[in-house]
Amino acid sequence: MSSNANEEKSSNSFKFSRREFIGTMAAASAFTIIPRSVMGGPGYTAPSDLPNIAGIGIGSQGGSDIRQMCTPEVEAKRDPSTNVKFLMQRYGGIQPKRREFKQSDAVVQTGDAGKKTFKYANIYALCDVDTKYAGFMFASYPKAKQYTDWREMLDKEKEIDGVVIGTPDHNHAIIATNAMAAGKAVFVEKPMAKTIYEVRYLRDMAKKTGMITQMGNQGHNIEGTMRTMEWIKAGAIGDVKEVHMWSNRPVWPQGYLTRPEAQPVPDNLNFDLWLGPAPKKGYNPDTTHFNWRGLWDYGTGAMGDMGAHTFDAPIRALGLGMPIRIQATTTPYNDEFLPLSEFVTYTFKNPKGSGEITVTWSDGGIKPARPKELEADRELREALYIGTKGMLMHGTHGANPELIPNRDYSVKPTLERPDNIYKDFCDAIREHRKAKNDFEFAAKLTEIMLLTNIAVASQQINTELIYDAENMKITNCEEANKYFSYQYRDGWELAKF
């Protein structure tokens, strides 16, 4: 390893140099951050014509993202002792007859990992604060340079074209801004960041610097999402007035829980760097890998995990802006853990003219009420659109849309069918163009998602929050505005631009 976890546990003040990437444009008297891929001038291509990608936070979803960009050189297996356990809670009572499994029930393929071999990028470097948890990924790409500290990697490795960030939510913005400041394209897992302030900062920095960006929202580019958009815009179900979404998450601990006591930090983990800008609290394995999603300090709950996959299609199909009102009701929770179950209502202006569109979100085992038009025994899927001429349902990631009642319906495809988000990101770097799900759109989607937790935190005041998106402000509850950002731990800050 190029940096040692034990040696760095107390260090959080590393400052990397940006001098190689900052140039002065005399004509404009402005600073410009220049990507490595264009340093050679017009017509420059990397020797292999493939971008050099570095992964940061590769022990879980970030590792999956890397595997979708390049087939592993070695088929390494995860250390069984690092496996995480999903908290799957089943329903008792009367059980329905299980229908025969159909191919359409299969998990949506949102990348090419099922292919025998493919290579959209060179996996140039890999970085993770936990050498044991991510050990299988280091072993999978033995030619990649190995790091435990992303700051050191960005400072040393000038040949990197883009980074893939798969860390916990609270570290997304810190790493992404520093990567962009270093002239790297950025792929960051959903949600873009932990707070709305960070999301807007990332969006504005990407726009100002011209960096190529992509959020890890796999359903953004799939066929089902495109078909949903075309059907809605063609009037297949008339004017849509309601959308109801739900998720089976969380599958990790949430609710009115006691934070487990601190334990000694294992030698394989740089816990101080894992904490990053978050408050200094003790280590416990039950609040780190995977389970961090349920804690206010690190995660954004069920909406942060699955909201992008379900909310993406309605926002695009209906042309929704920011909600003007939002309210939430949940099961009890405390200052450590998010609630186990939520029901959230968003009100949007109808972009077609007068009137409003109501969107709801349910999680933690709660589903929306079944409309009377939905025939008996028909399973309620993750997104239901109710229009004046019928209904439409699709699964998470926009998968397999269907009209209700069932009928033959087709429209001429009018939307581009882009490659999956992994290939698209790599090709965008190689072709010097924007990725399809860049921060301009992803910021809007993520901001809507993160408003959920502000509504959750404000539910005890017994009023519907009114949102002034232009000024990033809740206008009828000043206390709610403190949730748009938080105070970073000393030694941590977003990179300037």
Side-chain angles (χ1 to χ4, degrees), residues 241-274:
K241 301 297 184 183
E242 300 175 34
V243 181
H244 302 283
M245 305 177 295
W246 70 278
S247 172
N248 67 352
R249 301 306 198 269
V251 290
W252 51 82
Q254 282 188 201
Y256 204 92
L257 306 174
T258 300
R259 189 182 183 112
E261 294 183 2
Q263 296 184 12
V265 179
D267 292 339
N268 51 278
L269 173 64
N270 183 342
F271 184 60
D272 189 76
L273 187 54
W274 186 93

Coordinates of all heavy atoms in Angstrom, one line a residue, residues 241-274:
K241 N -51.9 13.7 -12.2 CA -52.2 14.5 -11.0 C -51.5 14.0 -9.7 O -51.3 14.7 -8.8 CB -53.7 14.6 -10.7 CG -54.4 15.2 -11.9 CD -54.0 16.7 -12.2 CE -54.8 17.3 -13.3 NZ -54.4 18.6 -13.7
E242 N -51.2 12.7 -9.7 CA -50.6 12.0 -8.5 C -49.6 11.0 -9.0 O -49.7 10.3 -10.0 CB -51.7 11.3 -7.7 CG -52.8 12.1 -7.2 CD -53.8 11.3 -6.5 OE1 -53.5 10.2 -5.9 OE2 -55.1 11.6 -6.6
V243 N -48.5 10.9 -8.1 CA -47.5 9.8 -8.3 C -47.2 9.3 -6.9 O -47.0 10.1 -5.9 CB -46.2 10.3 -8.9 CG1 -45.2 9.2 -9.0 CG2 -46.4 11.0 -10.2
H244 N -47.3 8.0 -6.7 CA -47.0 7.4 -5.4 C -45.8 6.4 -5.5 O -45.8 5.5 -6.4 CB -48.3 6.7 -4.9 CG -49.4 7.6 -4.8 ND1 -49.6 8.5 -3.8 CD2 -50.5 7.7 -5.7 CE1 -50.7 9.1 -4.0 NE2 -51.3 8.7 -5.1
M245 N -44.8 6.6 -4.7 CA -43.6 5.8 -4.7 C -43.4 5.1 -3.4 O -43.8 5.7 -2.3 CB -42.4 6.6 -5.1 CG -42.6 7.4 -6.4 SD -41.1 8.5 -6.7 CE -41.2 9.6 -5.4
W246 N -42.7 4.0 -3.4 CA -42.3 3.4 -2.1 C -41.1 2.5 -2.3 O -40.6 2.2 -3.4 CB -43.5 2.5 -1.6 CG -43.7 1.3 -2.4 CD1 -44.4 1.2 -3.6 CD2 -43.3 -0.1 -2.1 NE1 -44.4 -0.1 -4.0 CE2 -43.7 -0.9 -3.2 CE3 -42.5 -0.6 -1.1 CZ2 -43.5 -2.3 -3.2 CZ3 -42.2 -2.0 -1.1 CH2 -42.7 -2.8 -2.2
S247 N -40.5 2.2 -1.1 CA -39.3 1.3 -1.1 C -39.4 0.4 0.0 O -39.9 0.7 1.1 CB -38.0 2.2 -1.0 OG -36.9 1.4 -0.8
N248 N -38.7 -0.8 -0.1 CA -38.7 -1.8 1.0 C -37.5 -1.4 1.9 O -37.3 -2.1 2.9 CB -38.5 -3.2 0.4 CG -37.2 -3.4 -0.3 OD1 -36.4 -2.5 -0.5 ND2 -36.9 -4.7 -0.6
R249 N -36.7 -0.4 1.6 CA -35.7 0.0 2.5 C -36.3 0.7 3.7 O -37.4 1.3 3.6 CB -34.7 1.0 1.8 CG -34.0 0.4 0.6 CD -33.3 -0.9 0.8 NE -32.3 -1.2 -0.2 CZ -32.5 -1.8 -1.4 NH1 -33.8 -2.3 -1.6 NH2 -31.6 -2.0 -2.3
P250 N -35.6 0.7 4.9 CA -34.2 0.3 5.1 C -34.1 -1.2 5.3 O -35.0 -1.8 5.9 CB -33.8 1.1 6.3 CG -35.1 1.3 7.1 CD -36.2 1.4 6.0
V251 N -32.9 -1.7 4.9 CA -32.6 -3.1 5.3 C -31.3 -3.0 6.1 O -30.4 -3.9 6.0 CB -32.4 -3.9 4.0 CG1 -33.7 -4.2 3.3 CG2 -31.4 -3.3 3.0
W252 N -31.2 -2.0 6.9 CA -30.2 -1.8 7.9 C -30.8 -1.2 9.1 O -32.0 -0.7 9.1 CB -29.1 -0.9 7.3 CG -29.7 0.4 6.8 CD1 -30.1 1.5 7.5 CD2 -30.1 0.6 5.4 NE1 -30.6 2.4 6.7 CE2 -30.6 1.9 5.4 CE3 -30.0 -0.1 4.2 CZ2 -31.1 2.5 4.2 CZ3 -30.4 0.5 3.1 CH2 -31.0 1.7 3.1
P253 N -30.2 -1.1 10.3 CA -30.9 -0.6 11.5 C -31.2 0.9 11.4 O -30.4 1.7 11.0 CB -29.8 -0.8 12.6 CG -28.9 -1.9 12.1 CD -28.9 -1.7 10.6
Q254 N -32.5 1.2 11.7 CA -33.0 2.6 11.8 C -34.1 2.5 12.8 O -34.7 1.5 13.1 CB -33.5 3.1 10.5 CG -32.5 3.6 9.5 CD -33.0 4.3 8.3 OE1 -32.3 4.4 7.3 NE2 -34.2 4.9 8.4
G255 N -34.4 3.7 13.4 CA -35.5 3.8 14.3 C -35.1 4.4 15.7 O -34.0 5.0 15.7
Y256 N -35.8 4.1 16.7 CA -35.5 4.7 18.0 C -34.5 3.7 18.7 O -34.9 2.9 19.6 CB -36.8 4.9 18.9 CG -36.6 5.9 19.9 CD1 -37.0 7.2 19.7 CD2 -36.1 5.6 21.2 CE1 -36.8 8.2 20.6 CE2 -35.9 6.6 22.1 CZ -36.3 7.9 21.9 OH -36.1 8.8 22.8
L257 N -33.3 3.8 18.3 CA -32.2 2.9 18.7 C -31.2 3.6 19.5 O -31.0 4.8 19.4 CB -31.6 2.2 17.5 CG -32.5 1.5 16.5 CD1 -31.7 1.1 15.3 CD2 -33.2 0.4 17.2
T258 N -30.5 2.9 20.3 CA -29.3 3.4 21.1 C -28.0 3.2 20.3 O -27.8 2.1 19.8 CB -29.2 2.7 22.5 OG1 -30.4 3.0 23.2 CG2 -28.0 3.3 23.2
R259 N -27.2 4.2 20.2 CA -26.0 4.1 19.5 C -25.1 3.1 20.2 O -24.9 3.3 21.5 CB -25.3 5.4 19.3 CG -24.1 5.4 18.4 CD -23.4 6.7 18.3 NE -22.3 6.7 17.4 CZ -22.3 7.3 16.2 NH1 -23.3 8.1 15.8 NH2 -21.2 7.3 15.4
P260 N -24.5 2.1 19.6 CA -23.7 1.1 20.3 C -22.4 1.8 20.8 O -21.9 2.8 20.3 CB -23.4 0.1 19.2 CG -23.6 0.8 17.9 CD -24.7 1.8 18.1
E261 N -21.9 1.2 21.9 CA -20.7 1.8 22.5 C -19.5 1.7 21.7 O -19.4 0.7 20.8 CB -20.5 1.1 23.9 CG -21.6 1.4 24.9 CD -21.3 0.7 26.3 OE1 -20.2 0.1 26.4 OE2 -22.1 0.8 27.2
A262 N -18.5 2.6 21.9 CA -17.3 2.6 21.1 C -16.5 1.3 21.4 O -16.5 0.8 22.5 CB -16.5 3.8 21.4
Q263 N -15.8 0.9 20.4 CA -14.9 -0.3 20.5 C -13.5 0.2 19.9 O -13.4 1.1 19.2 CB -15.4 -1.5 19.7 CG -16.7 -2.0 20.2 CD -17.2 -3.2 19.4 OE1 -16.4 -3.8 18.7 NE2 -18.4 -3.7 19.7
P264 N -12.5 -0.6 20.2 CA -11.1 -0.3 19.6 C -11.2 -0.4 18.1 O -11.9 -1.2 17.5 CB -10.3 -1.4 20.2 CG -10.9 -1.8 21.5 CD -12.4 -1.7 21.2
V265 N -10.5 0.5 17.5 CA -10.5 0.6 16.0 C -9.5 -0.5 15.5 O -8.4 -0.6 15.9 CB -10.0 1.9 15.5 CG1 -9.9 2.0 14.0 CG2 -10.9 3.0 16.0
P266 N -10.0 -1.4 14.6 CA -9.1 -2.4 14.0 C -7.9 -1.8 13.2 O -8.0 -0.7 12.7 CB -10.0 -3.2 13.1 CG -11.1 -2.3 12.8 CD -11.3 -1.4 14.0
D267 N -6.8 -2.5 13.2 CA -5.6 -2.0 12.5 C -5.8 -1.8 11.0 O -5.1 -1.0 10.4 CB -4.4 -3.0 12.8 CG -4.0 -3.1 14.2 OD1 -4.3 -2.1 14.9 OD2 -3.4 -4.1 14.6
N268 N -6.8 -2.5 10.5 CA -7.0 -2.4 9.0 C -7.8 -1.2 8.6 O -8.0 -1.0 7.4 CB -7.6 -3.7 8.5 CG -8.9 -4.0 9.2 OD1 -8.8 -4.7 10.3 ND2 -10.1 -3.6 8.7
L269 N -8.3 -0.4 9.5 CA -9.2 0.7 9.2 C -8.6 2.0 9.7 O -8.2 2.2 10.9 CB -10.5 0.5 9.9 CG -11.5 1.7 9.9 CD1 -12.0 1.9 8.4 CD2 -12.7 1.4 10.7
N270 N -8.5 3.0 8.8 CA -8.2 4.4 9.2 C -9.5 5.1 9.5 O -10.2 5.7 8.6 CB -7.5 5.1 8.0 CG -7.1 6.5 8.3 OD1 -7.6 7.1 9.3 ND2 -6.2 7.1 7.5
F271 N -9.9 5.0 10.7 CA -11.3 5.4 11.1 C -11.4 7.0 11.1 O -12.4 7.5 10.8 CB -11.6 4.9 12.5 CG -13.0 5.3 13.0 CD1 -14.1 4.8 12.2 CD2 -13.3 6.0 14.1 CE1 -15.4 5.2 12.6 CE2 -14.5 6.3 14.5 CZ -15.6 5.9 13.7
D272 N -10.3 7.7 11.4 CA -10.3 9.1 11.4 C -10.7 9.6 10.0 O -11.4 10.5 9.8 CB -9.0 9.7 11.9 CG -9.1 11.2 12.1 OD1 -9.7 11.7 13.0 OD2 -8.6 11.9 11.2
L273 N -10.1 9.0 9.0 CA -10.3 9.4 7.6 C -11.7 8.9 7.2 O -12.4 9.6 6.4 CB -9.2 8.8 6.7 CG -9.2 9.2 5.2 CD1 -9.2 10.7 5.1 CD2 -8.1 8.6 4.5
W274 N -12.2 7.8 7.7 CA -13.5 7.3 7.4 C -14.5 8.4 7.9 O -15.5 8.7 7.3 CB -13.8 6.0 8.1 CG -15.1 5.4 7.7 CD1 -15.4 4.5 6.7 CD2 -16.4 5.6 8.4 NE1 -16.7 4.1 6.7 CE2 -17.4 4.8 7.7 CE3 -16.8 6.4 9.4 CZ2 -18.7 4.8 8.1 CZ3 -18.1 6.4 9.8 CH2 -19.1 5.6 9.1

